[in-house]
């Protein structure tokens, strides 16, 4: 089993829709998690950190479910500019390394 | 100027050639990393360094070597390039003494390497 798994999508949604991505992780010792956003051929950029039950930033909400070992990212009122690949990231234990999921692609259509 | 700078941005090289990718950072971070990204495979860790004297192999280090010349510089070498090393390479940095637990990475803009 991969350490971090995501549904690669693509998720195609209309503008204004609410969309949610899930990510599962295998290392129960992981304490904090991240969602990164990556535009085509660009570097990943930190979107949100998640290290308790959840985190909210504007239209974006990240939640952590330790019992089931998954994190989710909810995007409300999708914008065209939200089209990107979203990477779920977990540091196994406290190693300082980040393990990336393969990413979920979102396409927001007019 | 970018916080994490990678050079070159693009490179085409021939099979068997030695090539070096360079990374420098102005963030003052102690930790540096090299990843490669291939379509459908996500980002995979090649090497990482927690300080100048600490170099560690990642999950796919075969065929690569690294040098941490200074806290701010971390270079990746392909000793004898082969076509399946064609990929997008990213350097990243992090701060072990960062505030709270949000020790996310800062990435460079990437080097697109093609081995023909």
């Amino acid at each position: 089993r991969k350490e971090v798994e995501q549904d690669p999508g693509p998720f195609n949604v209309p503008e204004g829709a609410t969309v949610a991505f899930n990510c599962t992780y295998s290392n129960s010792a992981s304490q904090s998690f991240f969602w990164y956003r990556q535009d085509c051929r660009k570097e990943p950029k930190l979107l949100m950190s998640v290290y308790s039950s959840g985190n909210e930033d504007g239209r974006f909400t990240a939640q952590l479910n330790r019992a089931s070992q998954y994190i989710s990212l909810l995007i409300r009122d999708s914008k065209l500019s939200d089209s990107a690949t979203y990477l779920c990231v977990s540091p196994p234990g406290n190693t300082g390394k980040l393990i990336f999921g393969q990413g979920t692609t979102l396409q927001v259509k007019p | 100027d970018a916080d994490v700078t990678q050079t070159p941005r693009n490179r085409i090289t021939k099979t068997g050639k030695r090539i070096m990718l360079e990374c420098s950072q102005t963030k003052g971070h102690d930790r540096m990393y090299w990843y490669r990204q291939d379509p459908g495979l996500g980002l995979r860790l090649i090497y990482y360094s927690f300080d100048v004297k600490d170099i560690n192999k990642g999950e796919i280090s075969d065929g690569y070597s690294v040098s941490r010349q200074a806290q701010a510089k971390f270079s990746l070498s392909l000793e004898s390039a082969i076509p399946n090393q064609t990929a997008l390479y990213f350097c990243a940095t992090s701060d072990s003494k960062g505030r709270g637990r949000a020790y996310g990475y800062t990435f460079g803009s990437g080097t697109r390497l093609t081995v023909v």
Side-chain angles (χ1 to χ4, degrees):
Chain A
R1 181 185 173 186
K2 291 182 180 178
E3 292 193 61
V4 179
E5 292 199 70
Q6 296 180 251
D7 179 348
F11 284 61
N12 294 301
V13 302
E15 269 188 293
T18 295
V19 61
F21 312 134
N22 280 339
C23 166
T24 59
Y25 62 95
S26 61
N27 192 323
S28 59
S30 297
Q31 294 296 309
S32 54
F33 304 86
F34 305 90
W35 282 101
Y36 275 73
R37 171 195 169 124
Q38 185 175 26
D39 294 294
C40 188
R41 296 172 181 259
K42 298 287 184 69
E43 73 272 25
K45 293 187 177 179
L46 181 64
L47 179 66
M48 297 182 77
S49 307
V50 190
Y51 37 77
S52 57
S53 60
N55 192 12
E56 184 172 330
D57 183 5
R59 297 183 294 109
F60 298 84
T61 300
Q63 292 190 311
L64 169 62
N65 184 318
R66 291 192 187 277
S68 301
Q69 292 187 205
Y70 77 85
I71 63 174
S72 62
L73 178 68
L74 181 76
I75 305 175
R76 290 180 295 276
D77 188 23
S78 298
K79 312 290 185 191
L80 295 176
S81 58
D82 293 333
S83 298
T85 297
Y86 292 84
L87 302 168
C88 170
V89 186
S90 168
N94 191 30
T95 64
K97 300 186 294 181
L98 296 186
I99 305 298
F100 288 81
Q102 66 181 114
T104 297
T105 299
L106 172 66
Q107 279 287 342
V108 181
K109 309 267 185 204
Chain B
D1 288 340
D3 293 325
V4 182
T5 301
Q6 290 185 234
T7 56
R9 292 295 305 276
N10 292 282
R11 180 73 181 265
I12 300 174
T13 192
K14 292 183 178 180
T15 298
K17 292 290 187 182
R18 184 177 189 275
I19 182 169
M20 179 183 290
L21 309 183
E22 300 194 27
C23 177
S24 62
Q25 51 116 346
T26 58
K27 294 188 71 70
H29 287 173
D30 51 343
R31 297 179 172 184
M32 298 186 75
Y33 310 79
W34 276 104
Y35 283 87
R36 68 176 277 177
Q37 188 172 36
D38 301 273
L41 294 178
L43 283 153
R44 293 182 291 166
L45 183 62
I46 306 172
Y47 270 96
Y48 61 104
S49 169
F50 284 176
D51 65 39
V52 175
K53 296 180 181 179
D54 180 46
I55 305 287
N56 304 281
K57 292 182 177 181
E59 56 183 311
I60 54 162
S61 59
D62 287 348
Y64 301 95
S65 63
V66 290
S67 174
R68 185 83 183 265
Q69 301 94 324
Q71 186 182 42
K73 295 183 182 294
F74 192 37
S75 59
L76 174 72
S77 294
L78 285 67
E79 300 302 325
S80 179
I82 55 177
N84 77 1
Q85 291 177 312
T86 294
L88 183 56
Y89 289 83
F90 287 107
C91 173
T93 72
S94 71
D95 182 4
S96 65
K97 297 173 286 298
R99 289 173 294 176
R101 288 167 285 175
Y103 52 92
Y105 287 7
T106 300
F107 282 84
S109 299
T111 294
R112 185 164 296 278
L113 177 67
T114 303
V115 183
V116 298

